[in-house]
Each structure stands twice: as C-alpha cells, then as structure tokens.
Amino acid sequence: MMTGCKSSSLTCLQGAKGSLPTGAGHDSTATLNKLALATGGTEKSWHRCIFPFGIVSLVIGIATTCITFKFNGPQMGIAKVVSVATLAFGVVLLIAAFVCWRARRERQRKKREESVALEQGAL
C-alpha cells in the first residue's frame, strides 16, 4: 500500500514495497522499471548523452588516426585499425544522435498538431 504517494512513480513504488514490482505478465514493465531505477530516470534521454560521446570519440579518432598514419612503422597495423574504428564509432554516434534528435522533433511536432486539432474540435 502506498502511503503519501499520489503517483505510481518508481520512488513511490520503491518506498512502498522496498523493491520493484515483478510478475510473470509484466516482465518487460519490471525490466523497464529496473532500468529507470538504475539510471535515475534518464533512460528516455540517452540521445542527449550520445552526442557528447560522439564528439569525444570523433576527436580521439581523428587524433589517433593522424598519429598512426603519420608514423608508418611495422607495429602500427593494429593501432591503425583501432584508430579508424574509433573514428568510425564517433561518426556513428553523431549520426545516431542526429537521427534521434530528428525523430524526437517530429514526434513533438505531431503531438503539437494533435493538441491544436483537439482544441479546434472542442470549439
């Protein structure tokens, strides 16, 4: 029983029961609740996190690629592969951040249009 809580947020659920609710039919919900508890509720904002990591990976990839291809020694084969992989990883993260940003913007635009249509329908 939740005392003093007016919502079903994770802090209320955790405070009321001491652990997250689980059930055979609600396995995915329990997993999402555990994820939300572990991340502090930031699981819906991961697209904001991958942009800075993409920038850092891109900068590191550019620097290491320049260095490894400038020094062309016999031991540099693995270093070249790792540097190019880091560069590619940074580019992929930036592309993913851009795609997520566009999708979020599109969802917000649709939600705004729906709310305007509902308001106009009520008048």
Side-chain angles (χ1 to χ4, degrees):
M1 176 181 275
M2 293 188 291
T3 58
C5 285
K6 295 182 179 171
S7 70
S8 63
S9 69
L10 289 176
T11 53
C12 288
L13 291 173
Q14 186 182 20
K17 293 187 178 180
S19 66
L20 292 173
T22 58
H26 304 293
D27 190 31
S28 63
T29 304
T31 303
L32 289 175
N33 287 341
K34 289 177 185 177
L35 175 65
L37 183 63
T39 61
T42 60
E43 71 281 356
K44 292 183 180 178
S45 66
W46 66 271
H47 59 276
R48 287 183 233 141
C49 297
I50 63 172
F51 181 73
F53 284 114
I55 294 290
V56 169
S57 296
L58 187 67
V59 169
I60 291 171
I62 290 171
T64 56
T65 302
C66 290
I67 291 169
T68 56
F69 280 91
K70 183 174 181 176
F71 301 114
N72 204 10
Q75 306 283 329
M76 297 300 277
I78 295 173
K80 287 180 182 179
V81 170
V82 171
S83 65
V84 171
T86 305
L87 182 64
F89 182 68
V91 170
V92 167
L93 282 179
L94 288 177
I95 290 171
F98 177 73
V99 168
C100 290
W101 174 73
R102 291 283 307 243
R104 182 172 180 266
R105 198 170 80 176
E106 186 67 24
R107 280 193 311 267
Q108 286 177 341
R109 185 183 62 79
K110 285 181 182 179
K111 192 181 288 186
R112 229 182 350 255
E113 288 175 355
E114 289 174 1
S115 66
V116 168
L118 287 174
E119 288 175 6
Q120 289 177 352
L123 294 176

